[in-house]
Amino acid sequence: MTSFRLLSRATRRLMKPSHCRSHLSAYQPTTTKPNPKEIPLIPFNPRHRWIPSYLDSDLRLVAHISTSSSSNKDDNRVSDDPKAQASWIDAYLPRQARPYAKLARLDKPIGTWLLAWPCMWSITLAASPGHLPDIKMLTLFGCGALLLRGAGCTVNDLLDRDIDTMVERTKLRPVASCLLTPFKGLCFLGFQLLLGLGILLQLNNYSRVLGASSLLLVFSYPLMKRLTFWPQAYLGLTFNWGALLGWAAIKGSIDPAIVLPLYISGVFWTLVYDTIYAHQDKEDDLKVGVKSTALRFGDSTKEWITGFGILCISSLALSGYNAEIGWPYYALLAVASGQLAWQIWTVDLSSRLDCNGKFVSNKWFGAIICSAILLGRLSS
């Protein structure tokens, strides 16, 4: 019943009329010319010429935008300047395709890496001792991670479009900035899910059911920041579903002694990196009224994420032990522990740039764990 309510609420928000029309209508050019006799003139100022008042408001708007953008350059935040955010999307894709590519975050692959690594861990762990993992499955799950991450971003931007306009880091997203209408976003979401279905149908029946069940988490996650201070934990349940699905795709079922510790380790890992990530937006979140573990933990954040990091590594060790994996796994697990400790101990939670840098570095943590599983399985 709770899940039904969440999906019903999400559906109502997706169908909510866009704010773009009301915002844009205020700036539509008028077709009638103003009567010169009715135009009051502003008092003389030596800094500028005489300007009609109906133009003065527009010039004030331009001046406000200019001063705001220049002042933001001095702030230690991830820049929202379009020039600073120029990517291969702007250089190589047709103009009509750019908003859709940005909606799917194709220019920011870190989310795809974070979604794909638990899948790769599980598939590699499911390989027979002394053998390489199934390359076809790795490829399928890599493509699936790209599509599902894009679909998740689309759902998130559709549901959060009103909030995104009030947050510095997200106000230029395609739906929030009115480059795309909600209806176009919904159509694009359907296209992404259709492609994802094509990948899911290539798996066994057990994996199809397990994979389809993850959509409930994907669609309900954006609502969690409105309901609880632990949306990062819910994201962990969502983003690490591949740890369950990858093993099932190879074995046709789940071995709880191996797969559940692997899944739980991913959840704790997500709590570490996404809490660091959430510190970028904590001031804006307070203004908007949404919740996060960054706000919940406050000055105690490093103590909390240190505990999560210890639980992550412990769960990975337990999963490897139950899988009877070789010694190289534990050697590289120690290296991964050092990388995670470096993130936690050196991150400057008051610096948006440093929080973003530490967050992005988690692709290397995932790569180290995958290498550890591969070498441990080959030597077992």
Side-chain angles (χ1 to χ4, degrees):
M1 183 62 70
T2 302
S3 302
F4 176 76
R5 290 198 190 99
L6 288 173
L7 288 177
S8 299
R9 186 180 302 178
T11 303
R12 288 196 298 271
R13 285 190 60 80
L14 288 174
M15 298 307 295
K16 181 181 176 182
S18 173
H19 68 285
C20 300
R21 182 177 298 178
S22 61
H23 285 184
L24 292 177
S25 62
Y27 299 95
Q28 293 298 322
T30 56
T31 55
T32 58
K33 297 182 178 180
N35 188 344
K37 296 180 180 181
E38 298 178 358
I39 301 175
L41 299 178
I42 62 175
F44 175 75
N45 189 314
R47 290 183 300 175
H48 57 72
R49 305 179 216 172
W50 291 77
I51 303 174
S53 61
Y54 72 93
L55 292 178
D56 184 56
S57 61
D58 291 340
L59 292 175
R60 289 176 188 270
L61 175 63
V62 173
H64 171 71
I65 294 174
S66 301
T67 56
S68 298
S69 61
S70 62
S71 63
N72 285 342
K73 292 178 182 178
D74 298 328
D75 194 3
N76 65 343
R77 63 185 61 186
V78 180
S79 175
D80 283 307
D81 187 352
K83 293 181 180 179
Q85 289 190 344
S87 66
W88 63 268
I89 289 178
D90 303 290
Y92 299 109
L93 290 187
R95 185 177 298 274
Q96 295 82 357
R98 293 174 193 171
Y100 296 99
K102 292 182 178 180
L103 183 60
R105 311 284 199 278
L106 295 184
D107 55 336
K108 298 177 180 178
I110 179 59
T112 301
W113 282 117
L114 296 176
L115 186 62
W117 281 128
C119 305
M120 306 307 174
W121 300 349
S122 188
I123 293 172
T124 306
L125 194 59
S128 301
H131 291 78
L132 292 171
D134 190 320
I135 301 300
K136 177 185 176 182
M137 283 298 171
L138 292 175
T139 304
L140 282 176
F141 274 76
C143 295
L146 179 66
L147 290 170
L148 187 60
R149 190 267 179 138
C153 290
T154 303
V155 172
N156 184 80
D157 285 10
L158 288 171
L159 293 176
D160 286 352
R161 60 186 183 273
D162 295 331
I163 293 177
D164 285 345
T165 59
M166 297 182 281
V167 177
E168 185 69 25
R169 184 178 56 83
T170 61
K171 64 184 181 181
L172 294 181
R173 286 178 176 175
V175 177
S177 62
C178 302
L179 288 176
L180 291 177
T181 64
F183 178 74
K184 290 181 179 179
L186 277 173
C187 293
F188 183 57
L189 174 62
F191 175 70
Q192 291 170 299
L193 294 177
L194 185 62
L195 293 178
L197 177 63
I199 292 178
L200 190 63
L201 291 178
Q202 299 185 54
L203 307 180
N204 56 56
N205 290 333
Y206 186 94
S207 300
R208 291 174 185 174
V209 175
L210 187 62
S213 62
S214 68
L215 292 179
L216 174 62
L217 295 171
V218 173
F219 277 87
S220 57
Y221 161 69
L223 302 175
M224 291 301 110
K225 64 174 71 73
R226 298 170 175 85
L227 304 177
T228 176
F229 279 102
W230 293 85
Q232 281 69 30
Y234 202 84
L235 179 67
L237 298 174
T238 306
F239 251 51
N240 294 281
W241 200 258
L244 306 175
L245 189 57
W247 182 280
I250 301 296
K251 301 290 189 180
S253 62
I254 286 179
D255 186 342
I258 298 174
V259 177
L260 288 184
L262 187 67
Y263 179 59
I264 292 170
S265 72
V267 175
F268 286 123
W269 177 41
T270 304
L271 277 165
V272 173
Y273 68 67
D274 207 51
T275 297
I276 293 174
Y277 185 79
H279 271 272
Q280 296 180 94
D281 300 328
K282 54 190 175 184
E283 292 87 0
D284 291 322
D285 288 347
L286 281 172
K287 296 176 185 177
V288 176
V290 297
K291 304 175 177 69
S292 72
T293 50
L295 296 179
R296 170 65 179 82
F297 302 154
D299 294 336
S300 302
T301 291
K302 289 201 174 185
E303 289 80 0
W304 278 91
I305 60 177
T306 297
F308 295 145
I310 293 172
L311 291 170
C312 169
I313 299 299
S314 300
S315 298
L316 284 169
L318 177 60
S319 178
Y321 176 80
N322 291 338
E324 299 180 352
I325 202 166
W327 67 266
Y329 172 75
Y330 301 100
L332 283 176
L333 186 59
V335 175
S337 302
Q339 200 276 344
L340 200 60
W342 166 77
Q343 289 184 52
I344 296 170
W345 294 343
T346 64
V347 63
D348 181 0
L349 296 174
S350 63
S351 169
R352 299 192 181 198
L353 288 175
D354 193 49
C355 286
N356 187 70
K358 295 300 190 297
F359 168 75
V360 171
S361 75
N362 279 276
K363 63 185 177 183
W364 300 116
F365 176 86
I368 294 170
I369 296 298
C370 192
S371 301
I373 297 174
L374 175 62
L375 295 178
R377 185 51 82 196
L378 289 175
S379 65
S380 60

